[in-house]
Amino acid sequence: MRCEREHEVKDLLGRGHWPQASGEELRVHVAGCGKCGDLVMVSQAFRGARATAMQSAPAMAPGLIWWRAQVRRRQSALEQIARPVWGAQIFALAVTVLLGVGLVVVETRRGFDWQKGAQALHLEALLPMGGDGLEMVLLAACVGLVAVLGGVVVYLGMERR
Ligand SMILES: [Zn+2]
């Protein structure tokens, strides 16, 4: 059995206008009608429970929310920067290793005396006295320069993307 005023009461409850916006005549009806009375009682019980739950929930300060958002934003920005730098470092390392291996292979084919080469790596080889030592230093400088330039090129290319 439905009450013909139930819809009206439900509408007021849904909009949160009960009992302020209801007329005196409707309030008298709800007090007398079991169906509408139950509807109002259940709805107000739910509303009260929700209000107490909202009050007991710890409200986060707006400053804290803002600070957390800033930290999250900064972390994602750092991750975006770190990725290309990491890639450039790997590329530079790969180029250095490849050039080093290539240098060893070429020098061995040309009949490079490794004992003499080891002597050339001593500190006195840095002084431009022995031709072999100077050649080694220049080659090492060239390999380093190429590796650094390769890393810079890869970094710039990734940044433009
Ligand atoms: Zn009713």
Side-chain angles (χ1 to χ4, degrees):
M1 195 181 99
R2 283 179 63 95
C3 170
E4 74 268 8
R5 307 214 62 176
E6 197 186 321
H7 183 75
E8 204 181 329
V9 174
K10 205 180 266 181
D11 186 48
L12 283 172
L13 283 167
R15 281 187 282 165
H17 292 169
W18 179 267
Q20 294 86 359
S22 61
E24 178 66 32
E25 181 255 341
L26 188 61
R27 264 175 283 178
V28 168
H29 166 78
V30 166
C33 170
K35 197 102 174 137
C36 294
D38 283 353
L39 187 66
V40 167
M41 195 184 71
V42 168
S43 172
Q44 283 182 335
F46 272 120
R47 201 170 290 265
R50 187 165 170 269
T52 39
M54 292 279 276
Q55 276 171 356
S56 61
M60 215 186 278
L64 186 62
I65 293 171
W66 181 84
W67 178 75
R68 278 192 182 174
Q70 292 294 308
V71 168
R72 222 167 288 152
R73 200 171 58 92
R74 204 167 301 156
Q75 274 177 342
S76 68
L78 280 175
E79 276 169 21
Q80 278 181 342
I81 291 168
R83 238 170 282 145
V85 169
W86 184 232
Q89 282 172 339
I90 289 173
F91 180 81
L93 181 70
V95 167
T96 309
V97 168
L98 272 175
L99 283 173
V101 169
L103 182 69
V104 166
V105 167
V106 166
E107 289 294 317
T108 308
R109 274 198 189 153
R110 277 168 57 186
F112 185 74
D113 184 357
W114 286 106
Q115 208 166 4
K116 212 171 155 193
Q119 283 166 355
L121 284 173
H122 289 135
L123 267 179
E124 60 261 28
L126 290 171
L127 301 169
M129 291 189 299
D132 267 351
L134 185 64
E135 193 185 326
M136 282 295 285
V137 170
L138 282 175
L139 273 170
C142 284
V143 167
L145 188 69
V146 167
V148 168
L149 282 178
V152 167
V153 164
V154 167
Y155 175 70
L156 290 177
M158 281 178 156
E159 204 173 33
R160 205 167 295 147
R161 235 185 327 137

